[in-house]
Amino acid sequence: MNKKLLLSTFLAACFVQAKADVAPTVMLSHNGQWTMYMYDQVQQAVDAASDGDTIYLSNGSFEPFNVTKRIMVRGTGPETIISGGCTVYIAGQNPLSMPVLDALTFTGDVSVTCANKQFTIRKCQMNDLNFTESDFHDVKLDRCDIQGTLHLTQKVKEFNCFNTKIRAALRLPSW
């Protein structure tokens, strides 16, 4: 099936869902091929993904998931709700070429325990955001909304926030 036609069909389903009782949808894009998953199979889509793939989530509620690959999980905005949190552990030192999390709303915390260079979270909402354990170079938060606390450690070497709200506290290490 034509890639543009399939993506258009997916996006149309996202918009129709707001008006109808349609189950949330998960789509994995891999080398021009598209695979559909049920709303409760986000982790299965993440597990099936390869580095460089994108997983698209429609409007709706989804189960929590963990990211261990160089992929992007992209929602539609505040209407794409992850019922819980997320842990990101991506091993390696090569720069990431795209945001890891994009346009998602988490009802829980997001923990980043290992990241490559150029780690980006874009247009996401979450309770707390925690960076722990590994060295982080060139971390970017772009248009995020952190309801609770942003926890940084001494291992965050370069950090940039763009149009990001941190509502409770910013916890910095004592250097």
Side-chain angles (χ1 to χ4, degrees), residues 5-14 25-27 36 56-58:
L5 178 61
L6 190 55
L7 183 57
S8 296
T9 303
F10 172 71
L11 293 174
C14 292
T25 306
V26 179
M27 287 183 59
M36 302 279 295
Y56 295 93
L57 307 179
S58 68

Side-chain angles (χ1 to χ4, degrees), residues 9 13 33 43 52 60 70 74 80 89 101 106-107 111 124 162:
T9 303
Q33 301 288 323
Q43 189 63 55
R70 302 163 59 82
R74 173 179 272 171
T80 303
Y89 180 90
L101 304 172
F106 295 91
T107 62
S111 294
C124 289
F162 305 99

